[in-house]
Amino acid sequence: SQTIHQWPATLVQPVGSPLSLECTVEGTSNPNLYWYRQAAGRGLQLLFYSVGIGQISSEVPQNLSASRPQDRQFILSSKKLLLSDSGFYLCASHRAGSKYEQYFGPGTRLTVT
Amino acid sequence: QKEVEQDPGPLSVPEGAIVSLNCTYSNSAFQYFMWYRQYSRKGPELLMYTYSSGNKEDGRFTAQVDKSSKYISLFIRDSQPSDSATYLCAMVNSGTYKYIFGTGTRLKVLA
């Protein structure tokens, strides 16, 4: 079966520090991968999506970036965190054989202080 | 106008009640529709996935899509306290990768 792993689960970082969040997917190959942010009391905001290694599309032109160094690995980064970067970061993919059936990982809760 | 509208609730019901959760949308190109359940501090869990119009049933859950009215529903029969969560609708059209999510409805099932 397919599983999405995310780490760390929780992170507290000071303003101006760098960020690296990792997502890996098991049980499938060449998946579409997504990064979302969910702010408290708000909906899901699509940040990046990737349809293959090195292919990243950005939906939000902020101080965040994404990379896909391997087929099933997706990394979200920032060089300098802002207070507004706090939120719940979710990685998503889709079921094998079902390009539009999207499912999510457990998430990383980031607090920028 | 938002692309997807969803009442935020909270919706409180007694245990055993039938729950109806709804979303309306404006883009007639949407073809794939999903419902997610999200417990506090957890990732959303996919409950139902449907393509185009019609009904789909899975246990106590029924998803309904009415494309002519741009309206989707999730029904929960015999609701349980464990169903207390936030329910998110989502939709996408083929050929794109941008899913549009509702803001979620908070449901409380009272024992």
Side-chain angles (χ1 to χ4, degrees):
Chain A
S1 65
Q2 295 166 239
T3 308
I4 298 177
H5 299 280
Q6 288 187 246
W7 60 90
T10 306
L11 193 58
V12 181
Q13 293 281 88
V15 167
S17 63
L19 173 73
S20 181
L21 303 182
E22 190 166 342
C23 167
T24 58
V25 181
E26 284 182 358
T28 187
S29 59
N30 194 31
N32 294 342
L33 297 173
Y34 305 79
W35 278 113
Y36 289 90
R37 177 170 59 206
Q38 189 176 37
R42 298 178 66 181
L44 285 160
Q45 180 186 29
L46 177 63
L47 301 175
F48 300 95
Y49 67 88
S50 171
V51 299
I53 294 175
Q55 300 179 64
I56 311 288
S57 294
S58 171
E59 291 291 317
V60 182
Q62 294 179 345
N63 66 321
L64 298 172
S65 62
S67 62
R68 186 169 176 173
Q70 299 181 46
D71 180 45
R72 290 173 291 168
Q73 184 184 30
F74 205 21
I75 296 173
L76 182 70
S77 303
S78 175
K79 291 182 180 177
K80 287 186 179 181
L81 283 168
L82 306 172
L83 284 174
S84 58
D85 291 323
S86 293
F88 193 39
Y89 287 82
L90 291 155
C91 181
S93 185
H94 60 91
R95 301 281 179 214
S98 181
K99 280 282 186 187
Y100 298 101
E101 191 175 348
Q102 190 174 78
Y103 69 107
F104 288 85
T108 294
R109 188 159 301 279
L110 171 66
T111 303
V112 182
T113 60
Chain B
Q1 182 189 8
K2 289 184 181 178
E3 280 194 277
V4 177
E5 300 274 3
Q6 186 176 11
D7 189 328
L11 176 63
S12 293
V13 301
E15 183 175 356
I18 296 174
V19 175
S20 173
L21 303 166
N22 311 293
C23 287
T24 58
Y25 62 94
S26 57
N27 187 349
S28 58
F30 289 138
Q31 295 174 292
Y32 299 88
F33 303 90
M34 285 142 280
W35 283 97
Y36 294 87
R37 177 176 62 196
Q38 186 175 24
Y39 293 115
S40 181
R41 307 181 75 83
K42 301 289 187 183
E45 172 194 5
L46 180 63
L47 283 177
M48 301 292 283
Y49 167 73
T50 54
Y51 169 69
S52 195
S53 285
N55 292 359
K56 184 175 183 179
E57 188 173 321
D58 185 1
R60 295 185 296 113
F61 299 93
T62 299
Q64 200 170 73
V65 175
D66 182 348
K67 291 195 73 179
S68 62
S69 301
K70 299 193 187 71
Y71 191 86
I72 66 171
S73 301
L74 177 71
F75 298 97
I76 307 175
R77 288 184 298 281
D78 187 25
S79 56
Q80 303 295 310
S82 58
D83 294 327
S84 298
T86 297
Y87 289 79
L88 300 162
C89 64
M91 47 203 76
V92 67
N93 48 312
S94 62
T96 75
Y97 300 99
K98 189 171 181 181
Y99 291 72
I100 306 299
F101 287 82
T103 50
T105 299
R106 243 175 70 206
L107 172 67
K108 296 181 181 179
V109 181
L110 307 171

